[in-house]
Amino acid sequence: MKRIIDVNDQLFDYIIEVSSRESAALSALRAETSELASGGMQISRDQGQFMGLLGKLSGTRDYLEIGTFTGYSALAMALALPELSLTCCDVSEEWTDVARRHWEAAGVAERIDLRLAPALDTLADLAKQGRRFDFCFIDADKENMVNYYEAAMELMRPGGLIALDNVLWDGAVIDADDHSSATEGVRAVNAHVRDDSRVDISMIPIGDGLFLARKKD
């Protein structure tokens, strides 16, 4: 069986050179975030572009994000889809203040509903309101990934797409000696999605691993 090619630094640079179309607005946000102590939490530019393409291919109009950090993924989606409405969940005012500034500068802030509260509370409120979404990106604390996934499933329309980030967890998912709560959370959600007959699935080795789950019609 043909395995995934080993992408070293030089090959990754080539991929970015020939395929990345990062806007000035995204580049500015990426540069500022990279200076933060937690800057490594930011998704890669190729992943942001891939998600925007997925949004276009799936006809996404209502986007839900669980874990927004400094707003790169939301900005990538908003710029890729000019008619997109976004609902973003996070608990950090400090990080999302960075996001707000860059969303404003890019002219997309009015389309983004940022909810600063525990995500499971926000998701429960959205369910009570009868909200439905086309695309959900989950990139929050790994211990709650299964709970986030199940809450998102309730909010997705038939044919909607859930994308779960960090599902390879820098390789820790196959480290038999790593039983940290975060690693076990990633393993749990990977197994949960694998065994979920309600969705069509594919795991993509982009960034730190992206698990795609399409809710069946």
Side-chain angles (χ1 to χ4, degrees), residues 183-196:
T183 299
E184 293 293 357
V186 175
R187 290 182 182 130
V189 79
N190 286 343
H192 188 77
V193 176
R194 176 198 63 199
D195 297 336
D196 188 356

Side-chain angles (χ1 to χ4, degrees), residues 114-149:
L114 176 63
R115 309 282 187 99
L116 286 179
L120 290 174
D121 293 344
T122 297
L123 298 173
D125 289 341
L126 292 170
K128 289 177 183 176
Q129 296 165 18
R131 294 288 303 277
R132 289 293 179 267
F133 295 89
D134 307 306
F135 191 141
C136 177
F137 179 48
I138 304 176
D139 186 16
D141 58 289
K142 307 313 169 191
E143 292 83 353
N144 267 312
M145 289 286 275
V146 171
N147 294 328
Y148 294 143
Y149 174 80

Side-chain angles (χ1 to χ4, degrees), residues 9-183:
D9 290 344
Q10 292 75 24
L11 189 54
F12 180 75
D13 288 344
Y14 175 78
I15 292 169
I16 294 299
E17 177 189 348
V18 301
S19 71
S20 176
R21 295 176 176 176
E22 186 179 54
S23 68
L26 284 167
S27 180
L29 175 52
R30 180 169 56 85
E32 180 172 345
T33 303
S34 70
E35 298 298 320
L36 301 177
S38 301
M41 291 169 53
Q42 181 172 239
I43 67 168
S44 61
R45 59 196 291 186
D46 56 323
Q47 181 175 331
Q49 183 169 299
F50 179 61
M51 287 171 53
L53 180 59
L54 287 177
K56 291 181 177 181
L57 291 171
S58 60
T60 296
R61 297 185 65 85
D62 290 292
Y63 169 80
L64 174 64
E65 184 167 275
I66 304 171
T68 291
F69 190 39
T70 59
Y72 188 97
S73 49
L75 182 56
M77 293 296 292
L79 292 175
L81 296 143
E83 303 301 318
L84 187 67
S85 174
L86 303 90
T87 302
C88 296
C89 308
D90 209 286
V91 293
S92 173
E93 188 168 352
E94 177 186 2
W95 290 339
T96 57
D97 277 350
V98 177
R100 288 180 192 273
R101 283 194 288 102
H102 285 269
W103 295 341
E104 289 281 356
V108 302
E110 71 281 357
R111 293 192 277 129
I112 302 176
D113 177 12
L114 176 63
R115 309 282 187 99
L116 286 179
L120 290 174
D121 293 344
T122 297
L123 298 173
D125 289 341
L126 292 170
K128 289 177 183 176
Q129 296 165 18
R131 294 288 303 277
R132 289 293 179 267
F133 295 89
D134 307 306
F135 191 141
C136 177
F137 179 48
I138 304 176
D139 186 16
D141 58 289
K142 307 313 169 191
E143 292 83 353
N144 267 312
M145 289 286 275
V146 171
N147 294 328
Y148 294 143
Y149 174 80
E150 282 299 320
M153 277 293 291
E154 184 176 350
L155 292 164
M156 300 305 293
R157 64 163 173 83
L161 183 66
I162 298 176
L164 301 101
D165 200 26
N166 303 120
V167 293
L168 297 180
W169 206 224
D170 200 28
V173 287
I174 59 169
D175 182 350
D177 296 323
D178 189 338
H179 297 286
S180 68
S181 59
T183 299

